[in-house]
Amino acid sequence: RLPDRVIGLAAHDFQQSVTGAEVWLSRSLRDAETETVPSRWLNRITNLMAGASGDSKAALEQMRDRGAEWLSMAMRMDTPAAPLEPARRPAPSPPLDQRPDMLSVTQIEKLIRDPYAVYAGRVLRLRKLDPLRPLPDAPLRGTILHDILRQFTEATRDGLPENAEALLMQMTEAGLEAEAPWPAARRIWLARMARIAPWFIETERDRRAQGQPHLMEHTGTTRFETLGLTLKARPDRIDLTPDGRVILYDYKTGAVPTDKQERAFNKQLWLEAVMAERGAFGDAIGVAEICYIGLGGGGTLRAQPVAPGDLEGVMEGFTRLITHFARDSTGYTSRRAMQEVKYAGDFDHLARFGEWDETMQATVVEVGR
C-alpha cells in the first residue's frame, strides 16, 4: 500500500478512537534503565493543543491533571508502608532427599558457577519462559549449526567427497532456510560458515584419518552409586579409532575454554570421557582424546590426549563437588563464581540480585523442612 494511504488510515483510526466517551493516552517514561522520548504524533498533538488557543491549552492541562491523579494512586500502591530490609544473598539448603539425583554434564559447570540456578531448575523445577518473539541470538545460532554439522557428518560417514566444502555450504543454506526465519541473520550466519568451511573441511580430513564417526548427539548415562547421582551427557560427536578407543568432540560456536577455565569450571568433555570409560557410549575400550572445535573467527582446534591418570583426577574433583552438595550444611549459593559479573542468570530476579552483590557473604537457609 502507498505510504500516504497508510498514514491516512492511521489518522482515520485515531480520529475515530479519540472521540470516545473516555480515552487514555499514555506512554512509558523509561525502558529498563533508559529514559524514553514521546512519539512524534504525541508531541505534535500536545504542541498543537498547547498553542492553538486558550481553551485547548486549558483542556490539555485538565487532561494532564486527570492523568496525574491516577499516576499518584499507582505510585502509592508501589510504595511500602515502612522501609524494607534488602534481601540477603541466598544459599537455600533443601532436604537431602529433595536434591537432584540426576544432572547433565553441562549442569556441572552451572553447579560450580551458580549453584542457585541448579536449585531453581532441578529442585524447584522452574524454567525460563521462552520469549514472546524468538530472536536470532547466539544460542539459536549454535543449535542450528550443531544440527547442520551433525547432518553433514552422518551424510559423509563413508568418506568425504571431493565437493565436501560445497556440500557443507549447501546443507548450511538449507538448514538456515528451514530454521532461521530472519533474512539478515541467515545471510550473516551463512557468510560466517563460508569463511570457516575451507578450514573445517581441511581439519575434518585429519579427523577422519584418526577415526571414523561413530555416534552423533547420542545420549548416555552413568550411575555413580557411591555419590547417589546419575550423570547424563549428549556429546556432539564421538569418533572410533582403529584400535577401538574413542575421540570426543565438542563444537563451540563461542570461545573455546582455556586451560584454567577447563581445570576449574568447564568439566563437560572430561566428564564425558569418564562416562565413556564406564561404557556410557558403547563398548569402547578407552578414550584416546578430547577435542574442542571452535567455529568462530577462522576456526580453532584444541585437542588433548587422555591418560588414565587424567580421568582419575577428574573423578576425584567431581566426587568432592557432589559430596559437598550432599551435606545439609551446604546451600546453593547464588552467583558463586560467575565468569563475568555482567553476565545475567536466568534466576537472578528470583534470588533478588541487586539488593545484594557478589561481595556479600551468602546466607545458608534451610528450606522445604
Side-chain angles (χ1 to χ4, degrees), residues 30-68:
R30 299 188 70 84
D31 180 6
E33 301 300 322
T34 307
E35 289 190 11
T36 63
V37 295
S39 62
R40 287 177 294 175
W41 70 267
L42 186 58
N43 258 335
R44 292 184 69 176
I45 289 172
T46 53
N47 289 338
L48 177 64
M49 293 185 68
S53 67
D55 290 342
S56 63
K57 183 177 182 180
L60 177 61
E61 291 173 352
Q62 291 167 12
M63 289 166 60
R64 284 175 169 157
D65 289 342
R66 289 194 293 272

Side-chain angles (χ1 to χ4, degrees), residues 107 119 126 136 142 160 173 212 215 221 238 257 266 279 286 290 307 354 356 360:
Q107 288 172 324
Y119 164 75
L126 302 175
L160 292 176
E173 193 167 358
Q212 293 303 306
L215 296 172
T221 60
I238 300 176
N266 197 312
I290 62 172
W356 53 268
M360 298 179 180

Side-chain angles (χ1 to χ4, degrees), residues 231-362:
L231 198 58
K232 181 171 66 173
R234 192 181 183 188
D236 290 339
R237 171 175 164 182
I238 300 176
D239 282 12
L240 195 62
T241 64
D243 62 0
R245 295 185 296 167
V246 297
I247 302 174
L248 296 161
Y249 291 105
D250 186 27
Y251 297 123
K252 290 290 186 185
T253 51
V256 171
T258 64
D259 285 335
K260 290 182 178 179
Q261 288 173 338
E262 197 174 43
R263 283 197 297 270
F265 303 107
N266 197 312
K267 308 289 187 179
Q268 178 178 341
L269 267 184
W270 283 108
L271 289 173
E272 289 175 1
V274 169
M275 293 174 64
E277 288 276 357
R278 295 176 177 233
F281 309 113
D283 298 326
I285 62 173
V287 180
E289 186 178 88
I290 62 172
C291 182
Y292 296 97
I293 304 176
L295 302 174
T300 307
L301 273 182
R302 186 164 171 271
Q304 297 184 62
V306 176
D310 296 331
L311 298 186
E312 289 175 9
V314 171
M315 193 60 207
E316 287 175 6
F318 176 66
T319 300
R320 284 196 303 271
L321 176 69
I322 301 304
T323 302
H324 174 70
F325 281 96
R327 301 190 187 110
D328 273 321
S329 58
T330 301
Y332 290 79
T333 303
S334 181
R335 298 177 66 87
R336 174 186 170 272
M338 302 296 282
Q339 185 171 352
E340 294 187 21
V341 294
K342 68 179 181 180
Y343 286 178
D346 290 343
F347 303 101
D348 284 351
H349 62 296
L350 187 65
R352 297 180 58 180
F353 176 59
E355 298 181 40
W356 53 268
D357 62 35
E358 289 88 350
T359 64
M360 298 179 180
Q361 188 70 26

Side-chain angles (χ1 to χ4, degrees), residues 14-24:
F14 173 75
Q15 184 64 31
Q16 292 291 99
S17 301
V18 83
T19 55
E22 182 177 354
V23 179
W24 292 57

Side-chain angles (χ1 to χ4, degrees), residues 69-349:
E69 223 178 298
W70 286 94
L71 290 174
S72 176
M73 285 191 285
M75 291 178 67
R76 289 199 298 273
M77 288 178 63
D78 291 337
T79 304
L84 299 177
E85 286 291 325
R88 296 181 178 182
R89 186 180 186 182
S93 173
L96 295 183
D97 61 356
Q98 297 298 314
R99 301 192 182 203
D101 61 357
M102 174 179 282
L103 290 172
S104 68
V105 291
T106 55
Q107 288 172 324
I108 299 303
E109 181 179 2
K110 186 71 71 177
L111 188 62
I112 299 170
R113 290 193 180 276
D114 189 9
Y116 187 89
V118 176
Y119 164 75
R122 300 292 297 162
V123 179
L124 300 184
R125 302 186 184 279
L126 302 175
R127 68 177 182 83
K128 182 182 178 181
L129 293 177
D130 295 330
L132 294 176
R133 185 180 66 177
L135 297 173
D137 54 13
L140 178 61
R141 173 175 170 260
T143 299
I144 294 174
L145 291 186
H146 275 68
D147 192 52
I148 290 168
L149 293 176
R150 177 186 59 77
Q151 293 178 35
F152 174 80
T153 306
E154 289 178 343
T156 59
R157 274 181 181 274
D158 297 332
L160 292 176
E162 290 296 326
N163 65 336
E165 186 179 331
L167 176 63
L168 176 60
M169 292 307 301
Q170 179 184 348
M171 297 178 77
T172 301
E173 193 167 358
L176 291 174
E177 187 70 30
E179 301 295 336
W182 303 276
R186 280 202 304 269
R187 286 194 290 270
I188 293 172
W189 294 351
L190 187 63
R192 287 181 178 177
M193 180 60 89
R195 184 167 62 246
I196 204 171
W199 171 87
F200 181 83
I201 295 301
E202 180 183 351
T203 57
E204 179 67 11
R205 296 191 189 281
D206 295 334
R207 286 188 284 276
R208 297 295 175 95
Q210 287 183 276
Q212 293 303 306
H214 177 53
L215 296 172
M216 265 71 68
E217 297 187 2
H218 173 81
T219 300
T221 60
T222 298
R223 180 69 182 174
F224 299 91
E225 291 294 346
T226 57
L227 300 177
L229 182 78
T230 298
L231 198 58
K232 181 171 66 173
R234 192 181 183 188
D236 290 339
R237 171 175 164 182
I238 300 176
D239 282 12
L240 195 62
T241 64
D243 62 0
R245 295 185 296 167
V246 297
I247 302 174
L248 296 161
Y249 291 105
D250 186 27
Y251 297 123
K252 290 290 186 185
T253 51
V256 171
T258 64
D259 285 335
K260 290 182 178 179
Q261 288 173 338
E262 197 174 43
R263 283 197 297 270
F265 303 107
N266 197 312
K267 308 289 187 179
Q268 178 178 341
L269 267 184
W270 283 108
L271 289 173
E272 289 175 1
V274 169
M275 293 174 64
E277 288 276 357
R278 295 176 177 233
F281 309 113
D283 298 326
I285 62 173
V287 180
E289 186 178 88
I290 62 172
C291 182
Y292 296 97
I293 304 176
L295 302 174
T300 307
L301 273 182
R302 186 164 171 271
Q304 297 184 62
V306 176
D310 296 331
L311 298 186
E312 289 175 9
V314 171
M315 193 60 207
E316 287 175 6
F318 176 66
T319 300
R320 284 196 303 271
L321 176 69
I322 301 304
T323 302
H324 174 70
F325 281 96
R327 301 190 187 110
D328 273 321
S329 58
T330 301
Y332 290 79
T333 303
S334 181
R335 298 177 66 87
R336 174 186 170 272
M338 302 296 282
Q339 185 171 352
E340 294 187 21
V341 294
K342 68 179 181 180
Y343 286 178
D346 290 343
F347 303 101
D348 284 351
H349 62 296

